[in-house]
Amino acid sequence: MATTTDDLPARHSLGKSMKRKEDPRFIRGKGRYLDDIVLPHMLYLALVHSPYPHARIKSIDKSKALALPGVKAVITGEDLDAAKLEWLPTFHGYDKQMVLAFGKALYQYQEVAGVVATSREIASDGAELVEVEYEPLDPLVTPFQAREDKIILRDDRESKTNHIYHWEVGDKAKAEGELDGSAVRIKERILSPRCHPAPLEPCGVLADMNKATGRLTVYMTSQAPHVHRTAFSLVTGIPEDKIHVISPDVGGGFGNKVPVYPGYVVATVASVIIGVPVKWVESRTENLTTTGFARDYHMDVEIGATKEGKVTALKVSTVADHGAFDAAADPRKYPAGMFGIVTGSYDFPTAFAEVDAYFTNKAPGGIAYRCSFRVTEASFAIERGMDILARKLDMDPVELRRRNFIKKEQFPYPSPLGFVYDSGDYEATTQKALDIIGYDELRKEQAEKRKSGELMGIGVSTFTEIVGAGPGKHFDILGIKMFDSAEIRIHPTGSGIVRAGTRHQGQGHETTWAQIVAEELGLDPQELLVEEGDTDTAPYGLGTYASRSTPVAGGALALAARRIREKGKKIAAHLLEASENDVEWKDYKFNLKGVPGKSVTMKEVAFAAYTNPPPDSEPGLEATYYYDPPNLTFPNGSYIAVVDVDRETGAVIVRRFLAVDDCGVVINPMIVEGQIHGGLTEGFAMAFMQEIAFDESGNNLNTNFTEYLVPTALETPHWETANTVTPSPHHPIGAKGVGESPNVGSPQAFVNAVMDALAPLGITHIDMPLTREKVWRAIRDAEAKVS
Amino acid sequence: MKIAVTVNGERYERDVEPRTLLAYFLREDLGLTGTHVGCDSSSCGCCVVAMDGDRAVKSCTMFAVQADGHEITTVEGLEQGGKLHPLQQAFWDQHGLQCGYCTPGMLMTSYVLLKHQPAPNEAEIREAIAGNLCRCTGYQNIVKAIQQASTELAAEPAAAAVGS
């Protein structure tokens, strides 16, 4: 049942807009990011990149670079191959990737060699002096070219095809049969273009091999430090206890800091060989051209419906461009991630989805940018599809959605593509959005404007997300099940330290994790120190991405705290001189049942745990919990965009944007709202300005921030937000996660709004990004057809 | 080359390579790592510092030698006598930061803005910070924070003076 935040009972720490505990260091410029760390005798690594998207490497001459004073080493793929470190396994284990181009360079800017020197400037100078002779080869720029198998990209693989995999889910024959028999049917090719998460802090590493202790310390920009430790151990053979990964303050991640990059490996190899610390920090160009991109899904979306607008079947066939290696960090069982969420918020009787992935001469990646494993692509496909169907039916797009929503009494809802949605009240969330924005009035205004030829559009997106991987029985990384963990130690004076296996990059865990624990224990969240990112001290966890921190680690925190409460109850009984059965936890303290006023606080219990524990009991007060969630969580939202399009220039003004989110129980409304603002801004960027595009020769056209645009404060619209609360029934505190919802839910609201504005011109679909030029050309072509 | 630069009120005399960027001089020679570097094209503004108190400059686009004889204020110079600058306090109060990477540059651009325009409206604020990118916040709370600081500085004008 959806409620508003105001309806929830008063809480101790949960649901409060507590100011962030991490901020005092950031506002003073005292954050400690990767590049801020300086170690004695540290060397610097710079990389040499291929200018060609596809080329045979004929020779590499290191001599001039090595002759430069200050250069300590030049490392090539051949050197790594000799050390058996040239190939890395990809996260799902189905492919491997080169560290340095070896034999062939497979994409423009691919790393070909590394130069280690005494300063960052000398390392860069040295990289300029490495002479590489290339023999250019014809590139594969699109997955459609790759599909023809005229050029085979990967010499190293046994199967001589560019086809990586075919994945499907659902009943193909039934879906196609239903589509054929449908009274109304739409089909549209929809592209979710290649884009890039581009966190403001670039990726980097500082590897420090201490030959005296035999320990390798790796400081790195990591969203998943434990997984990275395990990966480093598996690849290098160094025992895992001899590897210490520290992810310091991370300046934004958005999925870009999940993969392992060649720079990390080369710097580490250099440190192991030379025995001094080696730092590598990438440039913005290196970040945009070589590290984990997002999307690149070409989707054929077909929907069938009755004349009354009841959907009958969905079929989505996707051609995916994975770049030169299949390095998308998907769980093994799900090569196309959670794309099966493509039925969205709608009760499809039957559905079918398939993905065929191909190698191309582009950088690898594919799982990133605030997206829980292909959910952004899926959500875009269904929400665009529903709008196109509404237009074909000549029906209001909100009305069509309402006729097909999964109803609140249908939860838990088994979807035709195999997920069980936990909870939701799509009707209530949507109604709230319509009321706040004044939907009917806007439609009236639009009708008036259309009479005079003005192009005003209203776009809706009533999306459902799928986040919080595990459960471990379905989801893994490198075979490691996707649980997460928490460890809580309460000190004698009632303050404590809280550690988790996640690693925040701006999400505010130092605050929200303290709030969760404080809520469970009745302690002061200001006196609970939260620590993440150090593999020597934090319990093993799978990290922060795919909106999984609150659904998974959040559960672990609550359950670890409840273990503390269990022990605390025994101590409380001892202090109250009562039987444990007569003690209950209520109103954030331990009370003697039936004796008002006879109670002890957790703070008193904590002191007793060290000074006066019950006889024959274990002193101390700490607990650990490894939480493997029973299901994913399914946040939802109803977003409405209102735009005005200038017919003469193609310029789009986003006049209003409202996001009503339902992420279950809210831990900190201020932080949730901040996450939504940020995600909407990224969705806005994808809709209107961002694409990593290539020319027909395979040259990357968007290699820095002057070509790959990030919205500034000037373009960014004013965001309106609201929420409903439908708790997740299986999550320990009812939370669902929110970080990615605004990015998953918003691009289609913008595009639907622009297409709605352009409807009088007969324009059905334009692929993102909707740049001024693209919109202008579409208007001009449409007008030419009419006249 | 020998240069003399006053940073956050303290005079430094240093011998630097001519090609050393001001950002790296501050970060690596002086250890003031609050000034960040986020791009190679002068686009992101993570490196903004104040020069001579009234100019916001991108320190990744300036050589250290160009700062010779000038006064530089970095984010580390905002807090005075253990009291946060109203802008720092406002960014904290209004949740004007998330990952914190753009924050120092954003604070320094705002600091210079309020020197020139003590009471900017929303449009003026958005225009002034358009050279500073933020990937996390969507700018809305940053705008609110600058408005809060503007109000507070108007109430106590002495707080605006830093590093002099």
Side-chain angles (χ1 to χ4, degrees):
Chain A
M1 182 69 194
T3 55
T4 65
T5 310
D6 302 339
D7 300 335
L8 290 171
R11 304 283 196 114
H12 177 279
S13 294
L14 222 52
K16 301 198 168 165
S17 287
M18 201 175 107
K19 275 165 56 176
R20 295 205 324 168
K21 295 173 69 181
E22 42 270 82
D23 287 357
R25 66 178 184 273
F26 293 137
I27 54 178
R28 291 179 167 94
K30 297 290 185 189
R32 187 173 180 246
Y33 301 90
L34 187 277
D35 201 15
D36 301 341
I37 302 167
V38 174
L39 296 177
H41 312 296
M42 185 172 85
L43 299 177
Y44 296 80
L45 168 71
L47 297 172
V48 178
H49 298 272
S50 168
Y52 298 104
H54 194 194
R56 201 162 298 286
I57 296 171
K58 297 180 75 176
S59 66
I60 301 177
D61 183 352
K62 305 175 179 180
S63 58
K64 284 185 185 155
L66 282 170
L68 183 71
V71 169
K72 298 290 181 190
V74 178
I75 298 166
T76 65
E78 211 166 302
D79 300 329
L80 293 177
D81 194 51
K84 297 196 167 32
L85 288 169
E86 170 58 2
W87 293 91
L88 290 177
T90 56
F91 275 133
H92 51 46
Y94 292 133
D95 194 15
K96 54 182 184 171
Q97 60 190 112
M98 285 176 189
V99 176
L100 294 172
F102 181 52
K104 283 205 301 184
L106 296 177
Y107 53 93
Q108 194 184 37
Y109 292 99
Q110 187 181 357
E111 301 84 350
V112 176
V115 176
V116 181
T118 50
S119 75
R120 80 176 70 226
E121 291 80 8
I122 295 171
S124 293
D125 290 345
E128 298 278 322
L129 294 173
V130 175
E131 292 182 345
V132 186
E133 196 183 347
Y134 297 95
E135 177 193 337
L137 302 169
D138 288 337
L140 292 170
V141 185
T142 74
F144 303 101
Q145 291 170 354
R147 193 159 66 173
E148 294 170 16
D149 277 341
K150 285 183 186 158
I151 298 166
I152 303 299
L153 202 75
R154 294 280 298 274
D155 301 338
D156 59 286
R157 288 168 65 99
E158 274 179 30
S159 62
K160 296 301 170 205
T161 173
N162 299 312
H163 188 233
I164 308 172
Y165 64 77
H166 172 83
W167 168 87
E168 63 176 56
V169 63
D171 188 332
K172 185 176 189 178
K174 198 170 162 212
E176 286 179 345
E178 287 292 336
L179 283 168
D180 288 342
S182 293
V184 183
R185 182 176 181 173
I186 63 112
K187 181 172 183 178
E188 189 72 41
R189 163 73 55 90
I190 292 171
L191 170 67
S192 185
R194 178 175 282 238
C195 49
H196 195 282
L200 271 191
E201 180 205 26
C203 300
V205 72
L206 172 54
D208 180 17
M209 182 71 209
N210 184 328
K211 292 204 169 172
T213 63
R215 274 200 113 202
L216 171 68
T217 302
V218 185
Y219 303 85
M220 62 188 281
T221 50
S222 171
Q223 295 178 228
H226 285 96
V227 177
H228 287 144
R229 184 186 70 193
T230 302
F232 271 62
S233 177
L234 289 173
V235 170
T236 60
I238 299 172
E240 207 166 345
D241 72 297
K242 300 283 191 297
I243 302 176
H244 181 192
V245 175
I246 300 171
S247 177
D249 284 326
V250 179
F254 315 117
N256 191 229
K257 291 169 180 168
V258 175
V260 172
Y261 296 123
Y264 300 170
V265 180
V266 179
T268 302
V269 169
S271 179
V272 169
I273 293 169
I274 304 170
V276 296
V278 177
K279 183 190 268 189
W280 170 71
V281 177
E282 65 181 2
S283 67
R284 178 55 55 190
T285 296
E286 289 177 303
N287 177 253
L288 288 173
T289 56
T290 66
T291 66
F293 73 94
R295 330 268 188 257
D296 223 343
Y297 261 32
H298 302 254
M299 304 174 286
D300 285 332
V301 181
E302 292 177 79
I303 305 176
T306 65
K307 272 187 259 177
E308 293 72 35
K310 190 81 189 138
V311 295
T312 52
L314 172 72
K315 182 185 173 203
V316 183
S317 300
T318 297
V319 170
D321 184 340
H322 276 219
F325 306 101
D326 184 21
D330 282 305
R332 276 172 207 237
K333 281 194 199 171
Y334 293 87
M338 318 280 197
F339 193 76
I341 194 70
V342 71
T343 52
S345 308
Y346 314 107
D347 190 11
F348 277 92
T350 185
F352 174 74
E354 60 186 344
V355 176
D356 285 280
Y358 295 91
F359 291 122
T360 61
N361 288 111
K362 296 178 188 169
I367 302 292
Y369 210 177
R370 219 169 183 142
C371 167
S372 168
F373 304 118
R374 304 294 186 188
V375 179
T376 312
E377 294 90 325
S379 187
F380 190 75
I382 185 63
E383 289 298 318
R384 276 300 294 130
M386 290 299 276
D387 251 47
I388 292 166
L389 177 63
R391 193 179 305 175
K392 185 138 188 180
L393 287 160
D394 197 22
M395 186 180 285
D396 182 278
V398 173
E399 180 56 29
L400 174 67
R401 286 168 165 83
R402 287 180 136 164
R403 286 186 190 187
N404 293 289
F405 275 152
I406 299 158
K407 295 181 177 55
K408 66 180 178 190
E409 55 275 15
Q410 286 177 272
F411 293 95
Y413 170 80
S415 84
L417 298 184
F419 294 118
V420 179
Y421 293 20
D422 60 349
S423 63
D425 188 346
Y426 303 152
E427 179 59 37
T429 309
T430 302
Q431 188 59 52
K432 188 164 185 178
L434 298 175
D435 291 345
I436 293 172
I437 202 103
Y439 187 75
D440 294 340
E441 287 304 310
L442 286 168
R443 285 287 175 206
K444 278 182 208 154
E445 182 193 342
Q446 182 187 42
E448 281 303 310
K449 290 209 157 138
R450 280 188 178 169
K451 284 180 198 161
S452 59
E454 283 180 70
L455 302 176
M456 169 187 167
I458 305 156
V460 296
S461 163
T462 53
F463 66 95
T464 292
E465 254 232 285
I466 176 170
V467 302
K473 64 185 173 195
H474 294 311
F475 301 100
D476 71 287
I477 283 194
L478 281 171
I480 299 162
K481 296 188 178 304
M482 294 184 77
F483 58 82
D484 227 291
S485 61
E487 181 200 271
I488 304 168
R489 293 183 187 173
I490 303 301
H491 307 320
T493 52
S495 65
I497 185 160
V498 176
R499 294 185 171 116
T502 40
R503 203 321 156 222
H504 65 92
Q505 319 116 40
Q507 293 88 339
H509 293 176
E510 290 176 41
T511 309
T512 48
W513 287 178
Q515 286 181 269
I516 291 175
V517 175
E519 175 71 24
E520 295 291 335
L521 300 182
L523 291 172
D524 181 355
Q526 297 297 340
E527 293 185 0
L528 293 169
L529 176 72
V530 175
E531 251 189 31
E532 294 181 326
D534 184 324
T535 58
D536 272 8
T537 55
Y540 200 105
L542 275 284
T544 294
Y545 44 86
S547 284
R548 65 184 301 280
S549 294
T550 293
V552 193
L557 286 153
L559 294 173
R562 286 173 202 173
R563 280 192 172 154
I564 292 213
R565 226 158 62 192
E566 275 168 41
K567 180 167 184 186
K569 196 175 179 187
K570 290 185 175 54
I571 300 168
H574 169 65
L575 295 177
L576 292 164
E577 298 176 330
S579 147
E580 201 185 324
N581 291 334
D582 293 331
V583 175
E584 64 177 354
W585 176 260
K586 207 178 153 210
D587 299 331
Y588 305 100
K589 53 186 193 270
F590 294 105
N591 303 281
L592 192 58
K593 283 183 200 165
V595 188
K598 191 104 166 107
S599 63
V600 288
T601 63
M602 187 61 78
K603 208 163 179 164
E604 291 164 324
V605 162
F607 197 64
Y610 295 88
T611 60
N612 176 25
D616 307 321
S617 73
E618 192 184 351
L621 195 57
E622 61 181 76
T624 305
Y625 203 103
Y626 280 66
Y627 176 63
D628 183 1
N631 191 9
L632 296 135
T633 58
F634 296 77
N636 69 281
S638 295
Y639 291 0
I640 303 179
V642 185
V643 304
D644 297 294
V645 180
D646 185 329
R647 195 186 271 265
E648 302 302 319
T649 64
V652 178
I653 299 291
V654 178
R655 191 204 304 178
R656 283 184 74 184
F657 193 99
L658 169 68
V660 181
D661 275 278
D662 192 329
C663 61
V665 169
V666 171
I667 300 163
N668 181 322
M670 175 193 83
I671 286 178
V672 166
E673 189 195 46
Q675 289 268 296
I676 292 167
H677 285 178
L680 294 176
T681 306
E682 291 183 346
F684 170 75
M686 283 153 46
F688 292 108
M689 57 187 79
Q690 290 183 339
E691 182 177 18
I692 300 289
F694 294 80
D695 69 14
E696 53 191 36
S697 307
N699 294 303
N700 189 324
L701 301 175
N702 304 86
T703 63
N704 59 50
F705 278 159
T706 62
E707 294 154 343
Y708 185 77
L709 301 181
V710 170
T712 74
L714 271 181
E715 304 85 54
T716 302
H718 178 85
W719 307 117
E720 300 172 54
T721 57
N723 76 324
T724 57
V725 178
T726 311
S728 170
H730 67 264
H731 189 271
I733 62 165
K736 291 187 171 185
V738 75
E740 291 164 347
S741 286
N743 189 311
V744 167
S746 67
Q748 55 268 26
F750 294 112
V751 177
N752 286 345
V754 176
M755 294 311 124
D756 185 51
L758 301 180
L761 298 164
I763 297 167
T764 311
H765 180 74
I766 307 173
D767 280 324
M768 295 189 288
L770 300 183
T771 59
R772 187 180 294 204
E773 181 187 343
K774 263 194 196 167
V775 174
W776 176 78
R777 284 186 189 281
I779 293 170
R780 188 196 58 176
D781 293 350
E783 285 176 339
K785 262 188 226 163
V786 174
S787 59
Chain B
M1 287 176 72
K2 285 200 189 330
I3 58 168
V5 189
T6 302
V7 181
N8 301 331
E10 199 164 326
R11 185 180 155 89
Y12 296 89
E13 288 179 29
R14 288 284 191 281
D15 199 359
V16 297
E17 259 196 85
R19 65 171 169 176
T20 302
L21 297 173
L22 177 58
Y24 289 114
F25 173 73
L26 294 169
R27 288 177 54 79
E28 293 175 358
D29 290 47
L30 305 187
L32 296 170
T33 54
T35 300
H36 299 151
V37 177
C39 71
D40 343 313
S41 51
S42 200
S43 307
C44 78
C46 294
C47 63
V48 168
V49 298
M51 188 153 93
D52 300 327
D54 63 355
R55 271 176 66 198
V57 297
K58 287 183 170 167
S59 64
C60 79
T61 315
M62 219 180 116
F63 294 113
V65 294
Q66 291 174 285
D68 184 30
H70 289 279
E71 281 188 27
I72 301 293
T73 310
T74 70
V75 66
E76 289 94 341
L78 286 179
E79 186 178 5
Q80 293 287 298
K83 192 174 181 302
L84 291 176
H85 187 277
L87 274 163
Q88 292 173 305
Q89 184 65 46
F91 270 63
W92 190 12
D93 292 348
Q94 297 293 343
H95 190 30
L97 63 146
Q98 290 182 31
C99 81
Y101 202 75
C102 76
T103 308
M106 205 60 93
L107 283 167
M108 297 319 296
T109 297
S110 311
Y111 168 77
V112 172
L113 165 71
L114 294 182
K115 285 263 171 122
H116 294 289
Q117 279 173 291
N121 62 29
E122 176 167 351
E124 288 164 341
I125 291 172
R126 283 183 180 265
E127 190 173 343
I129 62 171
N132 292 72
L133 300 179
C134 171
R135 299 291 282 139
C136 298
T137 67
Y139 305 104
Q140 202 153 312
N141 290 343
I142 292 176
V143 172
K144 276 202 243 169
I146 297 169
Q147 286 170 326
Q148 175 185 320
S150 153
T151 308
E152 279 170 22
L153 283 164
E156 39 174 335
V162 159
S164 49

